[in-house]
Amino acid sequence: MNIAVVGTGYVGLVTGTCFAETGNQVVCIDVNEDKVNRMKNGEVPIYEPGLELLFERNSRQKRLSFTTDLATGIQNADVIFLALPTPPGEDGSADLSYILGVAEELSHLITSYSVIIDKSTVPVGTADEVHKALAKNLDTNLFDVVSNPEFLREGVAVEDFLRPERVIIGTKSERAKKIMERLYKPFVRQGNPIYFMDERSAEMTKYAANSFLATKISFMNEIANLCEKVGANVDQVRIGIGSDSRIGKRFLFPGVGYGGSCFPKDVQALAKTAEVNEYDFQILNAVMDVNKRQKQVLVDKIVDYFGGDITGKTIAVWGLAFKPNTDDIREAPAIYIIEKLLALGAGVKVYDPEAMDNVKKIFGDKISFCSDQYEALIEADALAIVTEWSVFRTPSFSVIKQLLKSPVIFDGRNLYEVDFMREMGIHYESIGRSTT
C-alpha cells in the first residue's frame, strides 16, 4: 500500500519505518523542516533500539521518504496515519488542535478514497471530531476514520510493532476494516489477534490499558512505602504477589514514580474525560497523587541523611531518561529530583547513556554533565540512581567507594541487594527495603 504518516515522533517514525519494512511505500510528513532534512540525510532523530537499521535500509531502498509538504505526502496514499502530539492542557485534557488542524487541511486535499487513522492517543469521541473536520469540505464517501491506538513501549517499540501482542482497530466501516486487516496481516502471522470494535471502544481501550498499568505502579509504590514502616521487604512481597496469575509479575517494581510520554498524560486525560462526563474516578485521582509524591521520596531520603540540610553538597545522579533504552525525558522523575536538589542548594553531576543532550536543553550549565558514570562520582557526597540502565546494574563498587567522598547510595530503582551493600560497607537506601 501507499501509506502517509503525519508526525514523526516516537509513534510516527516507528510506525512509518516498520510499515516500510513489510514492503509498503511510506511517506513521513512533519512540519519541522530541520528534522525532515536530517531524516533525508539518514539521521534518526530519536534513540530507539533497532530503529536505525530499519530506517537506513528502507530509506536506501526508497520505501521510506520524508517531506514537509502535506499535499505531496498524501498524494497517492491509501491510508493516512495521524501520529500527532496531544499534549495535556492546564486542566489535564488532551489538546486535539494538531489533529483537528491536519484533518481540516486534509479536507481540502483528498481526492480519492482514503482511510484516515488516529494513531495518536486521543480521548473518547476524537474519531467523531476528526470525521466532522473532514466532512466540512469533503464528501463522506471519500474517507473513513479509524481508531488504531498504539501500544508501543519506548525502548522496545520496534519489537512491539513488528510482533504485537494484539492490534486494536476501531471502525464500523467494512471497507476500512478490510484495508486495515490487510495492512496488519504481516505482523500477526503467528496468530496474535486483531480485535475489531467501534471507534469509541478502541479509544477507551488505550486509556484504560495505560491507566491500569499506572495504577499497578502507584499501588506497588504505596506498598513499598508501607514496607519501610513495618519492616517488610518489598522485593519479597513483589515476588509473592506476582506469582498469582491473576496479578502477574509485570509493573510491580517500586521506584520513584512513572514518567514518559504516555502514562502521566493518559491518566490525566482519562480523569478529565470522567470529570467532563460527571463521573468521580477516585482511583485515577489517587494514582496521580501517589505518583507525584513518589518523585519526592528519594529527595527526602537524601535530605534526611544529611541532617535536613544539603546546601553545598554534591549529588551524583545516574540516569535521566524516564526509563532505560530511550532518550525521552518527558515527565522523567530525574528532572523533578534534580530541580528539587538544586532548589535545596545542592550541586548536581549527572550521567545518562542517551538522554544528556535533551537534559542540557533544560538545565544548561546549572548541573555538570559527565562523560561516564564514574566521572559523576568524583568529589560527590552521595550517589542517587534514578533510571535502571543495564550499565548501572553491575558497577565496580570498589571504584564507587574510592571516588565518592563517603560510600553513600540512594537507589530509586532497587538495583542492588541490601545484604551485599551491607557487606561492602556502603550506606544504602532503596525503596521499600531496609537501610544498611
Side-chain angles (χ1 to χ4, degrees):
M1 292 189 198
N2 292 316
I3 298 172
V5 180
V6 187
T8 60
Y10 282 87
V11 174
L13 193 55
V14 171
T15 296
T17 303
C18 290
F19 274 129
E21 179 68 9
T22 54
N24 298 290
Q25 245 0 88
V26 179
V27 181
C28 290
I29 306 155
D30 201 290
V31 295
N32 187 325
E33 192 169 342
D34 176 64
K35 187 179 184 182
V36 168
N37 287 334
R38 286 159 56 201
M39 291 188 291
K40 285 182 176 179
N41 291 325
E43 181 182 343
V44 182
I46 58 173
Y47 175 75
E48 183 63 42
L51 181 61
E52 188 171 359
L53 175 65
L54 302 187
F55 180 96
E56 187 278 330
R57 176 162 62 216
N58 287 283
S59 297
R60 175 167 38 85
Q61 296 178 359
K62 309 297 183 186
R63 287 192 299 271
L64 183 63
S65 59
F66 309 93
T67 183
T68 57
D69 185 65
L70 185 63
T72 301
I74 65 131
Q75 194 167 19
N76 299 308
D78 303 300
V79 296
I80 302 170
F81 283 90
L82 304 183
L84 294 151
T86 54
E90 291 184 8
D91 62 353
S93 61
D95 181 356
L96 296 179
S97 59
Y98 297 104
I99 289 176
L100 297 180
V102 169
E104 170 72 21
E105 288 185 64
L106 289 174
S107 74
H108 298 282
L109 299 174
I110 291 173
T111 56
S112 59
Y113 177 79
S114 301
V115 180
I116 314 301
I117 304 162
D118 287 334
K119 197 65 175 168
S120 308
T121 300
V122 292
V124 177
T126 299
D128 295 338
E129 294 300 314
V130 171
H131 192 281
K132 288 179 187 175
L134 289 163
K136 286 180 182 178
N137 301 295
L138 197 60
D139 190 316
T140 54
N141 291 320
L142 287 178
F143 69 93
D144 279 305
V145 178
V146 170
S147 176
N148 174 217
E150 53 85 16
F151 295 93
L152 305 180
R153 297 167 295 164
E154 289 185 38
V156 287
V158 171
E159 178 69 17
D160 282 348
F161 198 100
L162 295 177
R163 296 171 183 82
E165 285 188 347
R166 79 294 199 198
V167 176
I168 302 292
I169 296 171
T171 181
K172 301 184 192 77
S173 164
E174 285 300 318
R175 186 177 183 182
K177 179 179 176 180
K178 289 177 181 177
I179 290 172
M180 297 299 291
E181 192 169 30
R182 183 158 62 93
L183 187 64
Y184 275 104
K185 193 172 183 179
F187 303 98
V188 294
R189 295 182 65 194
Q190 293 181 335
N192 288 349
I194 299 177
Y195 293 118
F196 289 97
M197 57 186 73
D198 64 86
E199 297 87 342
R200 289 186 172 231
S201 296
E203 292 163 343
M204 179 60 86
T205 297
K206 169 64 175 181
Y207 276 124
N210 277 354
S211 296
F212 183 79
L213 295 176
T215 301
K216 286 186 76 172
I217 293 170
S218 283
F219 176 81
M220 207 61 206
N221 283 332
E222 290 276 72
I223 291 293
N225 296 337
L226 185 57
C227 280
E228 289 186 19
K229 292 185 177 295
V230 302
N233 184 323
V234 74
D235 282 347
Q236 295 174 17
V237 175
R238 171 179 58 79
I239 292 168
I241 67 173
S243 62
D244 187 328
S245 61
R246 297 168 301 174
I247 297 172
K249 300 176 182 179
R250 301 176 70 182
F251 290 87
L252 294 181
F253 290 85
V256 289
Y258 59 75
S261 61
C262 293
F263 285 5
K265 177 171 67 70
D266 293 355
V267 174
Q268 276 187 355
L270 186 56
K272 184 62 181 179
T273 297
E275 181 186 324
V276 168
N277 287 275
E278 299 182 344
Y279 182 75
D280 183 13
F281 209 142
Q282 297 179 46
I283 290 176
L284 282 191
N285 293 324
V287 166
M288 290 186 286
D289 288 343
V290 169
N291 195 60
K292 185 176 180 180
R293 292 200 310 269
Q294 198 66 20
K295 292 181 179 182
Q296 181 69 27
V297 165
L298 211 61
V299 176
D300 290 343
K301 289 177 181 288
I302 294 170
V303 172
D304 289 346
Y305 173 80
F306 288 107
D309 184 8
I310 59 172
T311 304
K313 301 295 182 182
T314 298
I315 310 299
V317 175
W318 282 2
L320 302 172
F322 85 93
K323 64 182 287 189
N325 298 319
T326 181
D327 61 354
D328 195 343
I329 60 170
R330 285 175 285 183
E331 300 290 334
I335 304 304
Y336 174 91
I337 290 168
I338 291 170
E339 287 174 343
K340 289 295 182 181
L341 292 174
L342 292 175
L344 292 169
V348 178
K349 301 175 71 177
V350 303
Y351 174 73
D352 185 282
E354 295 294 338
M356 290 202 293
D357 285 345
N358 290 335
V359 174
K360 285 177 183 176
K361 297 173 185 175
I362 297 176
F363 292 106
D365 59 2
K366 293 179 182 178
I367 62 177
S368 299
F369 295 89
C370 302
S371 58
D372 63 54
Q373 67 207 72
Y374 296 113
E375 182 188 342
L377 305 179
I378 298 172
E379 293 301 306
D381 295 281
L383 165 63
I385 301 171
V386 185
T387 310
E388 64 274 33
W389 284 91
S390 294
V391 71
F392 303 149
R393 291 186 179 275
T394 53
S396 171
F397 292 102
S398 60
V399 172
I400 290 175
K401 291 176 68 175
Q402 177 186 343
L403 294 177
L404 285 173
K405 289 181 181 179
S406 298
V408 181
I409 298 177
F410 300 93
D411 184 356
R413 297 299 178 182
N414 290 5
L415 296 189
Y416 313 130
E417 294 296 329
V418 173
D419 289 343
F420 181 72
M421 291 292 98
R422 185 176 292 112
E423 291 172 13
M424 291 296 297
I426 293 173
H427 179 89
Y428 180 68
E429 298 191 34
S430 51
I431 308 295
R433 306 185 297 180
S434 63
T435 295
T436 61

